[in-house]
Amino acid sequence: MSQLFLRTTKTDGKAPLYVRTRRKGILFCVSTGIMVDVKEWNKSLKSKSALVKYESSEEGMRVLDMERKVFLAIDQLYDDNKLNSKDDKPILEKALSDIVNTEVPVFVPDTEVNDESLKYVKAFYANFFNGITNGTIRHGSNAKYSDGSIQIWKNFGKSLHAYCPNDIPFSEITKPFADRFSLFLEKKGMMPNTVNKYVTCFRKLCNLAAEEGYNTNAVSLKVWKERTVKEVEKRAEIYLTDEEIDAMYGMKLEGMEEMVRDVFLLGYFSCQRYSDYSKLREENFITYDTGLGVISLTQKKTGNVVNVPIVDKRVNELCEKYHYDFPVLTEQQMNVKIKVVAEKLSKDVPSLQEKFVTVLTAVERRAEDTYAKLLKKKKSGKKLTENERKWYYKQHKLAESHNGNPLWERNKHGEVIRPKYELVSSHTSRRSGTTNLYKMGVLSSKEMRSITGHQSEKVFEKYIRVGISEQAQIVADKLLAAKKAKNGKVEK
C-alpha cells in the first residue's frame, strides 16, 4: 500500500509531499517532490466534501494526476522486482524524480558563458529562455514576450532537452535530425498542431542563433517543415448554438457551477479569449454619450484594442448581478466545471448529446493504455495491487459511462466519438459567439474581426465553426432567394 503525506511542522506555505509504501516487510519513505499548499492540503483531509473540493482546484487536480503516476510507477518497480531491500531506495527516488521533475533547466549566465558555449543548442536555448523570462531579451519591436509565448517556449524546452544530446552544436543540425525530432514528438503522443508549434520553435531558435552569429549552418534554417494537419487529426471544435446558449443562461445553478456558467457567458457575449474575458472589470465597460455600451479591452495575446458593442441585455444583467466584480477562476477550473454544466443541460437540450468524431489527447491515450493493461491483467486472473485497483475502478466507471472500448466510445470505423457536452471548454465561448455572429449574415468579415481581434481574414475563416450542412443551407437559401427574385421579374 502507498500513501502520500506531509512531513512538516509548518501550518502554511509550501512543502513537498512524501510517499510511504510497504511491501515484502520493507518500508520506504521518500519525498516525491510534489509541492503543495500546506494549509489547503491539511484542510482537504478533514472530510470527504473537503477532499472533493480540493481535488477540483487547480492544485488538487495537478496533485491527483501526479499521485496516479507515482503510485503506478511504484507498482511497476515492485512488479519488476527492483525494490527488494532498503538499499534499493535510490531506485525509487530516481523513478519519482523522473516523474515529478519535468521543469526546464533555466540557464543562469556565469563566467563560463562565452561565444563558444552558445554555439550549442541547449546552452543557447537556456540563455534565450532565461532572457525572455527576465525581460532582457525582447521581440524585434522591443516588446516583452507575453506570458503565453513564454509558456510555449518553456513547453518546447522540455521536448528539446529530452531529444537533444547536451553536446550537439547548431552545425550538426541536418534534415534527418529535424525529421527525427518531429517523429519523436509524434511518438510521445502530441497532437499534430502541437508538433507543428514545436517545429516552429526549433526553426526560430536556429534563426535567432544565426542572427547573433552562433549558428553558421545554413541547412539548419531550411529543414524545419510544418506538415498539413487534416481535420480528422484535430480535436473536434464545436460551438454552442443560440438556442443552447439561451438554455444555459436560463439554468438554475448555484455555487461554483453558477459562477463558471456566468463567466463562460461573458466570453460568449464578448467573443474574446479566456485570458481576456476572465479578467473583465468595471473599467472595461464603457457607455458613450450616444447611449451605446461597449466592452473595451486590449487583448493579452495580440495587444490589439477591441471595442465590442453591447447589444444583448443579458450582459448588463450579468454586470448588475456581480456589480462588475466577476468571479476569479482558473482556466483549469473553467474547463472542468463547464463540462459538468453542459452535461446537466444536455438532459433538457438533446442537441448537446450529439456525438462528434474526435481524437484523444496524449494524456487520454496513456490513460486508455493503462486501463487496457489493467483490464487484461484482471481478466487473466492476476491480482491487482491496491493502487492498481484504485486506478482501475475509477477508470472502469468512466468506461461504463462512455460505453468504453476500452475507455472511450468508438464508432464502427474505430474512431473516438464523444458527446458535445464533453467537448465544451473555456474557448468554446469565444468560438460560439463568433460563429453565431457570422451566421447572422449582417456583419462583414472586417467588422467581425474588429470585434474578435483576428488579424487576417484567412485565420478568421478557419476559426468559425459553421458545419457543412449549415453552410449548404446558407447557400441554398441564397440561391432560392435569387431564383424567386428572378421569377418575379419574369412574371412582370
Side-chain angles (χ1 to χ4, degrees):
M1 177 180 178
S2 301
Q3 180 184 11
L4 295 181
F5 68 99
L6 278 177
R7 195 178 189 178
T8 179
T9 57
K10 295 196 303 184
T11 56
D12 56 17
K14 297 280 188 178
L17 286 174
Y18 279 70
V19 63
R20 181 189 294 114
T21 182
R22 182 192 292 274
R23 309 253 182 104
K24 305 176 183 178
I26 304 169
L27 175 66
F28 290 102
C29 184
V30 301
S31 172
T32 65
I34 304 172
M35 301 299 292
V36 297
D37 184 292
V38 175
K39 184 182 290 186
E40 293 302 317
W41 173 266
N42 289 333
K43 192 187 300 181
S44 74
L45 303 178
K46 293 182 178 179
S47 66
K48 185 176 180 179
S49 60
L51 179 61
V52 171
K53 183 177 180 181
Y54 177 73
E55 289 182 345
S56 66
S57 69
E58 184 173 9
E59 178 182 289
M61 287 186 281
R62 175 179 61 82
V63 171
L64 197 62
D65 181 57
M66 296 305 296
E67 177 189 52
R68 175 183 65 81
K69 294 176 181 177
V70 165
F71 286 176
L72 289 175
I74 291 173
D75 288 340
Q76 190 62 53
L77 288 174
Y78 279 117
D79 288 345
D80 294 342
N81 205 33
K82 292 183 177 180
L83 300 179
N84 298 303
S85 71
K86 288 284 188 180
D87 295 335
D88 295 328
K89 185 176 179 179
I91 296 175
L92 177 58
E93 291 175 329
K94 174 65 166 57
L96 300 189
S97 176
D98 289 344
I99 293 171
V100 178
N101 187 23
T102 58
E103 291 300 303
V104 178
V106 177
F107 183 76
V108 179
D110 56 32
T111 55
E112 295 181 5
V113 177
N114 51 48
D115 288 350
E116 189 62 31
S117 66
L118 292 180
K119 291 179 181 179
Y120 292 87
V121 175
K122 281 189 175 180
F124 185 86
Y125 164 79
N127 187 51
F128 167 75
F129 181 76
N130 191 60
I132 64 175
T133 302
N134 63 30
T136 56
I137 293 179
R138 304 193 175 197
H139 285 294
S141 58
N142 201 37
K144 287 185 177 181
Y145 280 74
S146 68
D147 292 342
S149 294
I150 292 173
Q151 187 60 48
I152 290 172
W153 277 103
K154 182 177 182 179
N155 292 337
F156 160 71
K158 294 176 184 179
S159 295
L160 174 76
H161 277 264
Y163 175 74
C164 284
N166 289 329
D167 58 351
I168 186 168
F170 285 101
S171 60
E172 293 184 16
I173 292 180
T174 61
K175 187 176 186 302
F177 175 92
D179 291 341
R180 287 195 299 270
F181 178 67
S182 296
L183 184 60
F184 167 77
L185 299 177
E186 290 170 4
K187 286 184 175 180
K188 285 176 67 70
M190 292 187 182
M191 304 289 281
N193 282 331
T194 303
V195 173
N196 280 346
K197 190 183 298 182
Y198 290 173
V199 165
T200 298
C201 283
F202 220 139
R203 182 176 67 242
K204 288 181 178 179
L205 194 72
C206 291
N207 275 281
L208 288 167
E211 290 173 5
E212 296 181 31
Y214 300 115
N215 177 16
T216 58
N217 177 12
V219 172
S220 70
L221 310 180
K222 303 175 182 179
V223 294
W224 304 101
K225 305 296 181 183
E226 298 176 29
R227 71 180 183 84
T228 302
V229 182
K230 301 175 182 178
E231 285 296 320
V232 294
E233 297 177 296
K234 299 178 184 177
R235 294 273 286 176
E237 297 173 336
I238 56 96
Y239 77 97
L240 301 185
T241 64
D242 281 330
E243 294 75 20
E244 290 166 341
I245 289 293
D246 292 344
M248 180 179 284
Y249 187 86
M251 291 178 74
K252 290 186 178 180
L253 299 169
E254 58 183 24
M256 176 68 79
E257 290 176 5
E258 180 180 17
M259 291 188 290
V260 163
R261 185 269 313 272
D262 292 345
V263 174
F264 179 87
L265 289 172
L266 281 176
Y268 173 79
F269 294 126
S270 64
C271 297
Q272 300 305 306
R273 300 178 184 87
Y274 179 81
S275 58
D276 295 317
Y277 75 73
S278 64
K279 292 179 172 57
L280 289 175
R281 295 295 177 260
E282 185 170 7
E283 55 266 28
N284 297 117
F285 295 83
I286 300 172
T287 302
Y288 293 128
D289 294 338
T290 59
L292 171 66
V294 299
I295 301 174
S296 181
L297 59 98
T298 301
Q299 293 182 323
K300 184 176 181 179
K301 180 178 179 179
T302 64
N304 292 337
V305 176
V306 295
N307 289 283
V308 185
I310 300 174
V311 294
D312 194 308
K313 67 178 183 179
R314 290 176 290 186
V315 176
N316 297 321
E317 290 172 358
L318 288 171
C319 292
E320 292 169 7
K321 178 177 181 178
Y322 291 98
H323 304 290
Y324 295 94
D325 187 15
F326 302 110
V328 178
L329 305 165
T330 66
E331 189 167 9
Q332 195 167 17
Q333 287 174 321
M334 171 65 73
N335 283 327
V336 170
K337 290 297 182 181
I338 195 60
K339 289 177 174 60
V340 176
V341 171
E343 183 175 9
K344 286 187 175 181
L345 184 59
S346 71
K347 294 176 174 60
D348 298 315
V349 183
S351 59
L352 287 170
Q353 298 178 25
E354 180 184 354
K355 304 285 179 68
F356 288 78
V357 173
T358 187
V359 294
L360 299 176
T361 64
V363 172
E364 289 169 338
R365 286 197 294 275
R366 285 197 297 270
E368 189 169 60
D369 289 343
T370 301
Y371 177 69
K373 290 176 183 176
L374 295 180
L375 187 63
K376 183 178 180 180
K377 184 176 180 180
K378 191 172 186 299
K379 287 181 176 179
S380 70
K382 293 182 180 179
K383 188 176 179 180
L384 301 182
T385 66
E386 184 171 342
N387 295 326
E388 287 176 337
R389 284 198 302 273
K390 180 180 178 182
W391 171 244
Y392 171 79
Y393 285 113
K394 182 178 180 180
Q395 297 306 313
H396 186 63
K397 187 175 180 181
L398 177 62
E400 287 180 327
S401 68
H402 285 162
N403 298 316
N405 184 25
L407 196 55
W408 277 275
E409 186 178 359
R410 285 171 166 77
N411 60 21
K412 63 181 181 181
H413 304 296
E415 299 166 321
V416 173
I417 53 174
R418 304 181 79 163
K420 188 175 183 178
Y421 63 76
E422 276 192 10
L423 299 171
V424 178
S425 69
S426 61
H427 198 70
T428 305
S429 56
R430 170 172 163 87
R431 194 180 299 281
S432 301
T434 303
T435 300
N436 288 329
L437 271 181
Y438 173 82
K439 285 170 62 179
M440 290 175 67
V442 296
L443 299 179
S444 67
S445 174
K446 184 177 181 180
E447 290 167 335
M448 287 285 300
R449 288 188 285 114
S450 73
I451 293 174
T452 65
H454 286 100
Q455 296 179 323
S456 73
E457 188 164 352
K458 183 179 180 180
V459 173
F460 174 75
E461 287 178 350
K462 286 183 178 180
Y463 184 80
I464 53 176
R465 289 286 104 184
V466 177
I468 295 174
S469 61
E470 291 174 307
Q471 189 65 55
Q473 187 62 55
I474 292 172
V475 173
D477 289 343
K478 288 183 177 181
L479 291 174
L480 288 172
K483 186 175 182 180
K484 185 176 181 181
K486 181 179 178 180
N487 291 339
K489 290 180 181 178
V490 171
E491 291 173 2
K492 290 179 181 179

